[in-house]
Amino acid sequence: MMRVFRTLVLKELIGFVRSWGLVAVVLYSFTLDIYIAGKGIEMQAKNVSVGYVDYTGGGISRKIVGHLHMPEFRPPVPFPSQEALSRAVENREIMVGLVFAPDFERRLKTDGHTTLDVLLDSTAAAQSFQALGYLQNIVLDFAKVDFPVELKIHKLFNQNAENAPFMALAELLSVITLLGVILTAAVFVREKEAGTWDIMLLMPIDARMVIVAKSFSQVLILMAGIVTATGLVLFGAFDMPLNGSIWAFFLLSFLYAFTSAGIGLFIAAVSGSLLQVAQLSILIMMPLIFLSGAWTPIHAMHPVLRTLSLVSPLRYYIEGSESIFFRGTGWWDLMPYFFGVGVLGGLLYWYGFRKIGKLF
């Protein structure tokens, strides 16, 4: 029986290798796509374009402008009037505009307080408001506020506050989700499109073994991609820290791969073509990705969505993976994540198995 099982798995792996287009998609997804997500999605204020109008011509305004430097800000651009600065913001030439009123410096010296007008292009909400935070800190340094509390900030798990490793890891986990579903569904639907489904039904092999062997072969492909992406992209390109056990991550990934395979089995049972597979995969998996905390923290979601996220296996996979890489969580403390992925994954695989089993 094991010999038959190995033969079926090897047959699917050979079929995958011969499909050059599919191999190219998988290689791209596990390498270049993750690299682009890590390097291309920037959440921090960087290279922010700044313009200013200085009606005072005083020293304080020049000092404030002088504190706006790389890499957060480009060299500030002077404008002759507020109207010209407003047009530049409207035309997306400037993201942050500063207007120093004629009495800016006089009011600061005589009254102890003054007003600095700030124009923000809020279509780039994340970067513009982070730039505003930097600007507020610069102004507070000049205000010399006598505040009795001193803040001592200790950055845990990400001392340099780098965004790229988090984005790369989140993209890897999303790629695993989508490919796990699509590959598993495609391996069955191709039999329908090629007209070999009936021939497969006539084989003197237990249908349950055929289902398990076909889905297990796709899990092996996923694991090969995970190992490749972890070594070449996460560790190689992004120098990802590893504070926990890499074997815990691989085991959690192996369990989650079966979760995605279970969803793929369900899609394969109700799809008649690869086009339907792609459509249903997006329809089912995108809500799971959005509810997982990959792009929005769980605690920032609406209470209803936060409750719904409990049934997303990707939530436990992401939280467990981040705990392994960044927090150095031990095996025992990872049990809730293993339990969440294992239970939900087992239920999904069992349902998908039963659904496609009715076709045999």
Side-chain angles (χ1 to χ4, degrees), residues 106-164:
R106 178 184 60 79
R107 290 179 58 189
L108 180 61
K109 292 178 178 179
T110 59
D111 301 337
H113 62 83
T114 188
T115 301
L116 173 60
D117 294 315
V118 181
L119 305 179
L120 285 180
D121 179 7
S122 295
T123 57
Q127 283 210 336
S128 63
F129 281 98
Q130 283 198 6
L132 179 61
Y134 289 140
L135 181 61
Q136 288 173 333
N137 290 333
I138 293 172
V139 172
L140 285 175
D141 288 340
F142 283 92
K144 297 180 180 179
V145 178
D146 187 13
F147 194 63
V149 178
E150 179 184 1
L151 295 179
K152 289 190 175 181
I153 301 174
H154 305 274
K155 297 179 180 179
L156 304 179
F157 314 121
N158 187 17
Q159 287 79 6
N160 296 325
E162 295 178 337
N163 183 64

Side-chain angles (χ1 to χ4, degrees), residues 230-243:
T230 302
L232 293 182
V233 184
L234 297 187
F235 292 155
F238 293 100
D239 196 21
M240 176 82 74
L242 178 62
N243 298 316

Side-chain angles (χ1 to χ4, degrees), residues 49-358:
S49 54
V50 182
Y52 68 95
V53 178
D54 188 2
Y55 291 116
T56 66
I60 296 179
S61 58
R62 287 197 296 269
K63 287 182 179 179
I64 293 176
V65 172
H67 278 72
L68 305 176
H69 50 71
M70 297 291 288
E72 289 82 11
F73 300 95
R74 296 178 185 173
V77 179
F79 284 82
S81 66
Q82 184 173 346
E83 291 75 15
L85 179 61
S86 298
R87 286 195 300 270
V89 174
E90 292 174 1
N91 296 331
R92 302 180 64 89
E93 299 172 8
I94 296 296
M95 184 180 294
V96 179
L98 307 179
V99 180
F100 297 93
D103 59 347
F104 172 81
E105 191 165 340
R106 178 184 60 79
R107 290 179 58 189
L108 180 61
K109 292 178 178 179
T110 59
D111 301 337
H113 62 83
T114 188
T115 301
L116 173 60
D117 294 315
V118 181
L119 305 179
L120 285 180
D121 179 7
S122 295
T123 57
Q127 283 210 336
S128 63
F129 281 98
Q130 283 198 6
L132 179 61
Y134 289 140
L135 181 61
Q136 288 173 333
N137 290 333
I138 293 172
V139 172
L140 285 175
D141 288 340
F142 283 92
K144 297 180 180 179
V145 178
D146 187 13
F147 194 63
V149 178
E150 179 184 1
L151 295 179
K152 289 190 175 181
I153 301 174
H154 305 274
K155 297 179 180 179
L156 304 179
F157 314 121
N158 187 17
Q159 287 79 6
N160 296 325
E162 295 178 337
N163 183 64
F166 286 92
M167 298 304 300
L169 180 61
E171 182 67 14
L172 169 61
L173 305 186
S174 299
V175 164
I176 295 169
T177 302
L178 288 174
L179 284 184
V181 173
I182 293 175
L183 289 177
T184 305
V187 78
F188 287 94
V189 174
R190 281 204 304 265
E191 301 278 4
K192 297 180 183 180
E193 289 189 332
T196 57
W197 182 268
D198 293 334
I199 298 176
M200 184 176 64
L201 297 180
L202 296 175
M203 291 191 304
I205 303 174
D206 189 352
R208 293 171 296 182
M209 181 180 293
V210 174
I211 297 173
V212 174
K214 283 180 171 290
S215 58
F216 183 72
S217 65
Q218 307 311 302
V219 170
L220 292 181
I221 294 172
L222 276 182
M223 291 305 301
I226 292 170
V227 173
T228 301
T230 302
L232 293 182
V233 184
L234 297 187
F235 292 155
F238 293 100
D239 196 21
M240 176 82 74
L242 178 62
N243 298 316
S245 172
I246 189 65
W247 297 110
F249 172 68
F250 287 152
L251 178 59
L252 189 64
S253 299
F254 184 74
L255 294 176
Y256 184 74
F258 273 100
T259 303
S260 300
I263 300 175
L265 291 177
F266 166 77
I267 293 176
V270 298
S271 300
S273 65
L274 290 177
L275 179 59
Q276 292 180 357
V277 168
Q279 293 172 338
L280 287 175
S281 297
I282 298 298
L283 183 64
I284 293 175
M285 295 312 302
M286 292 313 294
L288 292 180
I289 292 176
F290 289 136
L291 290 173
S292 66
W295 306 109
T296 302
I298 298 295
H299 60 80
M301 294 181 180
H302 188 277
V304 175
L305 298 179
R306 195 159 55 238
T307 302
L308 290 175
S309 70
L310 294 174
V311 298
S312 172
L314 183 56
R315 169 184 175 173
Y316 303 99
Y317 184 37
I318 289 178
E319 291 180 351
S321 299
E322 289 181 348
S323 297
I324 291 170
F325 280 102
F326 300 107
R327 300 177 183 272
T329 305
W331 282 87
W332 179 253
D333 293 324
L334 290 172
M335 286 301 112
Y337 307 119
F338 281 107
F339 181 79
V341 172
V343 171
L344 292 174
L347 291 174
L348 289 171
Y349 190 85
W350 172 81
Y351 180 75
F353 186 92
R354 290 285 302 274
K355 187 72 175 177
I356 199 170
K358 295 179 181 179

